[in-house]
């Protein structure tokens, strides 16, 4: 069995008296996974540990079975898009990208060719011979993406990849991330912007104060939060009658009438949807919309982080 | 792996070299040369005694240049070759790659070392030219001691490489590498090299690069000059060029090794901003 692209095993990392991450364990599989948390949660610490920039104080970090801090062969299979906006001074975009490819083991001529192709792909061909340090934020972000992808890594670590990009560029990056995930790459995308991550994946790791609160698919995580009732929007022909009918169901904890729709809090999701299915078959209900309101990251965050 | 080593060393060498020579940083060593050139010109124009001027050249270059200017310039270039990227956060692009980490400080040191030799060469070329031209105008022959140009260029090579190695260590190990390195140059190299006698210094040869470079000068000059300068620069017993060069080699090896180890084992300073 081949080793997982990324594995954290009871990793703790301290910064003086403050824990950056505490007893963090997870395994990253191929596909896109979001790494979410508020500022200070430990997202960048996790990415830096995974990229081999820093070492864990305790526990193990492995990239394809090897510790990235010590192993060049592990680092050869990963690509990092760091949060930094800084580039080596005095270096053009083309030289920077070519050097990054050379340092990843791509031979000279191939590095040159690939750098030119990448610059074209990310829309920086015209600015390639300008100093990278003078690029706009969006251009820097695109250059960072190019250097992360250039050597075709199997594991991608993206720290706030959409920062500074215009809406069109964001869509292109999101599409690219999806495409890479479908090709079997393992991608860990860190962000504190929930809707950005939701646009890229439904598989997340939720962090707060250095600890993992939950990880997995969003609906699975939501299903585990049994102390929080599910909030469901129901809209039908006669909302008041729906409300009075649902009030007799033991699975319903409460509801609120909102114009022509009903927001229901259900403690037992399975029983509620079964009963709703029965109601849907009746003539008078005329159900037009049934939507779970809190099967999203924002709701999960509110419940878990508070 | 060997190819990646060579590629990494080569790219880092060029970055170290370009950063030292083509950036604004290049002006600092040149500006540092100006007061020394000015002092030499002032002395030449005011004190016309050729005998005095010959001695002045030797002493002045040994102290002002070999013990102060060259160490500080080499240190500055070597520390800056690593620290700019590290403090700016752009070193992350290199250390997150499979490029062998030891090749990074070694390549940067080589580039910065070459740059310090170039600056040393420029300084000496101007000083030597000024003294060579001044001699005939004072009605005498050359004011340069025989063999002095070769001796000082060789001493520049030894001293420049030693302080580049020291700068690599300080740049890799300490956040305030430049300040600490300058404190060591002034507090230990200059002071200990000035006040310890040569006999004591022989035992500490691997720890005093300024003394090593001055001994290179002494040992490169023709026999006759050794007697003339022996009042000020006493020759230790058993001193010979092989021992001096070996001491320099040890100095360079120790600090480069420490610098490489520091770079490889220390974490990279692009630390998580969040905690």
């Amino acid at each position: 069995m081949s080793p997982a692209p990324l594995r954290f095993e009871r990793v703790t990392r301290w910064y003086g008296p403050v824990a950056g991450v505490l007893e963090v364990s997870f395994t990253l599989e191929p596909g896109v996974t979001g790494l979410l948390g508020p500022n200070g949660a430990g997202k960048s610490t996790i990415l830096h540990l995974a990229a081999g920039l820093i070492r864990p104080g305790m526990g193990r970090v492995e990239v394809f079975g090897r510790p990235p801090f010590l192993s060049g062969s592990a680092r050869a299979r990963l690509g990092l898009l760091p949060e930094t906006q800084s580039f080596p001074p005095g270096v053009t975009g083309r030289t920077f990208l070519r050097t990054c490819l050379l340092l990843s083991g791509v031979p000279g001529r191939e590095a040159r060719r690939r750098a030119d192709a990448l610059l074209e792909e990310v829309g920086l061909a015209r600015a390639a011979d300008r100093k990278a340090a003078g690029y706009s934020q969006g251009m820097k972000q695109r250059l960072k993406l190019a250097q992360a992808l250039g050597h075709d890594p199997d594991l991608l670590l993206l720290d706030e990849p959409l920062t500074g990009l215009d809406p069109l560029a964001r869509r292109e990056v999101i599409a690219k991330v999806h495409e890479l995930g479908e090709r079997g790459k393992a991608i860990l995308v860190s962000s504190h912007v929930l809707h950005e991550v939701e646009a890229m994946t439904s598989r997340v790791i939720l962090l707060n104060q250095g600890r993992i609160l939950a990880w997995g698919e969003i609906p699975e995580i939501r299903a585990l939060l049994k102390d929080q009732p599910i909030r469901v929007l129901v809209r039908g022909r006669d909302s008041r009658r729906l409300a009075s009918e649902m009030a007799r169901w033991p699975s319903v904890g409460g509801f609120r009438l909102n114009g022509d729709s009903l927001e229901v809090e259900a403690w037992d999701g399975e029983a509620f949807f079964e009963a709703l299915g029965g109601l849907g078959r009746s003539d008078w209900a005329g159900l037009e919309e049934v939507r779970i309101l809190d099967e999203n990251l924002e709701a999960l965050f509110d419940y878990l982080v508070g | 792996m060997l190819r990646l080593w060579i590629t990494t060393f080569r790219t880092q060498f060029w970055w170290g070299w370009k950063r030292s020579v083509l950036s604004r940083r290049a002006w600092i060593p040149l500006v540092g040369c100006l007061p020394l050139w000015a002092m030499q010109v002032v002395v030449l124009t005011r004190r016309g005694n050729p005998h005095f001027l010959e001695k002045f050249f030797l002493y002045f270059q040994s102290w002002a240049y070999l013990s102060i200017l060259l160490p500080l310039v080499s240190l500055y270039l070597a520390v800056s070759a690593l620290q700019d990227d590290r403090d700016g956060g752009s070193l992350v692009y290199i250390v997150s790659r499979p490029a062998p980490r030891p090749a990074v400080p070694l390549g940067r040191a080589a580039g910065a070392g070459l740059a310090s030799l170039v600056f040393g060469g420029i300084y000496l070329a101007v000083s030597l030219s000024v003294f060579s031209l001044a001699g005939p105008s004072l009605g005498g022959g050359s004011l340069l001691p025989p063999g002095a140009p070769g001796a000082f260029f060789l001493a520049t090579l030894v001293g420049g490489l030693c302080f580049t190695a020291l700068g690599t260590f300080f740049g890799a190990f300490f956040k305030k590498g430049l300040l600490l390195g300058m404190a060591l140059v002034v507090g230990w190299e200059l002071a200990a090299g000035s006040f310890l006698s040569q006999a004591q210094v022989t035992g500490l040869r691997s720890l005093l690069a300024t003394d090593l470079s001055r001994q290179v000068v002494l040992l490169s000059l023709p026999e006759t000059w050794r007697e003339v300068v022996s009042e000020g620069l006493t020759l230790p017993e058993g001193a010979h060029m092989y021992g001096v060069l070996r001491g320099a080699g040890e100095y360079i090896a120790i600090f480069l090794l420490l610098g490489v180890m520091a770079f490889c084992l220390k974490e990279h300073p692009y630390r998580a901003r969040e905690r």
Side-chain angles (χ1 to χ4, degrees):
Chain A
M1 198 171 75
S2 57
L6 179 64
R7 199 163 78 93
F8 271 56
E9 191 181 310
R10 302 189 67 181
V11 173
T12 295
R13 165 71 198 201
W14 294 90
Y15 294 104
V18 176
V21 291
L22 204 53
E23 291 274 320
V24 163
S25 297
F26 68 89
T27 303
L28 195 74
E29 296 297 344
V32 185
T33 304
L35 181 64
L36 286 161
N39 286 333
K43 304 187 296 296
S44 289
T45 301
I46 285 182
L47 290 180
H48 297 173
L49 284 162
L53 304 179
I54 59 177
R55 279 170 295 188
M58 287 168 53
R60 284 178 67 82
V61 177
E62 288 179 355
V63 168
F64 294 102
R66 291 169 186 251
F69 188 85
L70 297 172
S71 168
S73 58
R75 294 196 302 273
R77 297 182 71 180
L78 69 86
L80 173 69
L81 189 156
E83 199 183 4
T84 183
Q85 292 295 319
S86 134
F87 285 91
V91 170
T92 64
R94 192 189 306 280
T95 304
F96 170 75
L97 195 51
R98 201 181 293 162
T99 306
C100 287
L101 290 168
L102 288 171
L103 295 177
S104 296
V106 177
R109 254 191 219 145
E110 176 62 15
R112 200 165 294 146
R113 186 199 66 75
R114 232 189 258 191
D116 292 342
L118 280 164
L119 288 165
E120 193 69 53
E121 193 180 329
V122 298
L124 288 176
R126 279 202 204 158
D129 297 310
R130 276 174 41 196
K131 300 274 191 286
Y135 284 177
S136 68
Q137 201 176 13
M139 291 165 79
K140 284 181 179 177
Q141 203 69 6
R142 283 183 273 156
L143 187 61
K144 287 195 294 181
L145 185 65
Q147 63 81 38
L149 298 178
H151 53 290
D152 196 26
D154 295 313
L155 169 64
L156 271 164
L157 305 169
L158 308 179
D159 199 344
E160 311 276 357
L162 303 181
T163 304
L165 296 179
D166 58 54
L168 185 61
R170 280 172 184 245
R171 257 186 283 156
E172 287 170 1
V173 169
I174 290 170
K176 186 77 185 173
V177 168
H178 276 304
E179 182 215 320
L180 290 167
E182 276 160 23
R183 273 171 45 196
K185 308 287 185 189
I187 305 171
L188 186 61
V189 181
S190 158
S191 181
H192 63 278
V193 181
L194 302 179
H195 65 87
E196 281 182 0
V197 175
E198 264 186 305
M200 284 188 263
T201 181
S202 63
R203 192 163 67 190
V204 295
I205 299 173
L206 296 175
L207 277 181
N208 190 38
Q209 295 184 348
R211 287 187 185 272
I212 290 185
L213 297 176
W215 60 295
E217 297 284 338
I218 295 172
E220 288 170 0
I221 298 173
R222 182 61 191 89
L224 292 172
L225 295 174
K226 296 202 189 304
D227 59 337
Q228 296 287 343
I230 305 172
R231 285 172 42 238
V232 185
L233 180 90
V234 180
R235 200 155 52 86
R237 215 174 282 143
D238 187 345
S239 301
R240 286 183 186 278
R241 192 172 167 184
L242 277 173
S244 63
E245 181 67 31
M246 286 181 191
R248 289 184 273 138
W249 296 354
S251 57
V252 170
F255 48 81
R256 191 173 59 156
L257 211 53
N258 201 359
D260 62 349
S261 60
L262 199 58
E263 266 184 41
V264 184
E265 285 184 0
W267 288 102
D268 183 342
E270 212 176 303
F272 173 77
F273 284 109
E274 201 179 319
L276 192 64
L279 192 65
R281 285 190 285 274
S282 63
D283 294 331
W284 62 268
L287 293 178
E288 291 166 4
E289 187 182 357
V290 177
R291 181 160 48 96
I292 302 175
L293 293 173
D294 60 356
E295 208 170 68
N296 58 61
L297 282 173
E298 194 173 338
L300 283 185
F301 241 90
D302 281 340
Y303 295 149
L304 290 167
V305 177
Chain B
M1 192 60 186
L2 178 64
R3 187 169 57 84
L4 192 54
W5 240 101
I6 293 169
T7 302
T8 305
F9 183 88
R10 193 166 40 99
T11 55
Q12 299 307 298
F13 169 80
W14 284 117
W15 273 12
W17 161 256
K18 274 194 214 171
R19 209 68 68 72
S20 302
V21 167
L22 298 178
S23 68
R24 280 174 295 183
R25 185 176 303 120
W27 288 104
I28 294 174
L30 286 175
V31 164
C33 297
L34 294 177
L36 270 62
W37 286 330
M39 274 191 260
Q40 290 165 72
V41 168
V42 164
V43 169
L44 278 169
T45 52
R46 284 171 185 249
R47 300 289 300 263
N49 179 341
H51 182 69
F52 167 82
L53 290 172
E54 283 171 358
K55 271 184 132 179
F56 167 78
F57 177 86
L58 212 55
Y59 278 103
F60 185 80
Q61 303 305 357
S62 290
W63 292 103
Y65 170 61
L66 289 182
S67 301
I68 300 173
L69 181 68
L70 181 66
L72 292 177
V73 166
S74 302
L75 189 81
Y76 172 67
L77 294 176
V79 171
S80 307
L82 267 179
Q83 270 194 341
D84 281 2
D85 274 332
R86 197 180 69 178
D87 294 346
S90 54
L91 202 61
V92 64
Y93 297 110
I94 300 172
V95 296
S96 62
R97 297 194 128 75
R101 288 177 179 177
V104 176
L106 288 175
R108 298 272 175 121
L114 180 65
S116 72
L117 297 180
V118 166
F119 284 113
I122 292 171
Y123 169 81
L124 278 178
V126 171
S127 293
L128 291 166
S129 304
V130 163
F131 269 77
S132 302
L133 292 169
S137 67
L138 292 171
S142 172
L143 294 174
L144 294 176
F152 278 99
F153 276 111
L154 186 59
T156 297
L157 184 66
V158 169
L161 293 179
C162 286
F163 287 102
T164 296
L166 184 71
T168 301
F169 166 64
F170 276 100
F173 204 87
F174 299 105
K175 209 168 171 175
K176 305 268 183 207
L178 185 60
L179 285 176
L180 290 170
M182 285 169 67
L184 186 79
V185 164
V186 172
W188 168 249
E189 288 276 350
L190 189 60
S194 309
F195 300 119
L196 289 179
S197 74
Q198 295 295 313
Q200 285 174 284
V201 158
T202 307
L204 297 168
R205 186 169 285 163
S206 295
L207 299 177
L208 274 170
T210 47
D211 179 64
L212 288 167
S213 51
R214 287 204 299 272
Q215 287 202 45
V216 164
V217 171
L218 196 64
L219 293 167
S220 302
L221 293 175
E223 283 293 336
T224 49
W225 281 99
R226 288 204 190 125
E227 285 174 12
V228 171
V229 301
S230 66
E231 296 168 60
L233 299 170
T234 50
L235 198 62
E237 233 180 80
H240 47 79
M241 192 63 88
Y242 168 74
V244 172
L245 294 179
R246 198 182 74 180
E250 286 166 4
Y251 189 103
I252 292 165
I254 288 168
F255 284 109
L256 276 183
L257 185 64
L258 289 173
V260 166
M261 280 171 58
F263 188 85
C264 294
L265 296 176
K266 269 185 82 99
E267 294 176 337
H268 285 286
Y270 171 51
R271 290 171 180 270
R273 290 201 189 97
E274 56 183 30
R275 299 208 164 176

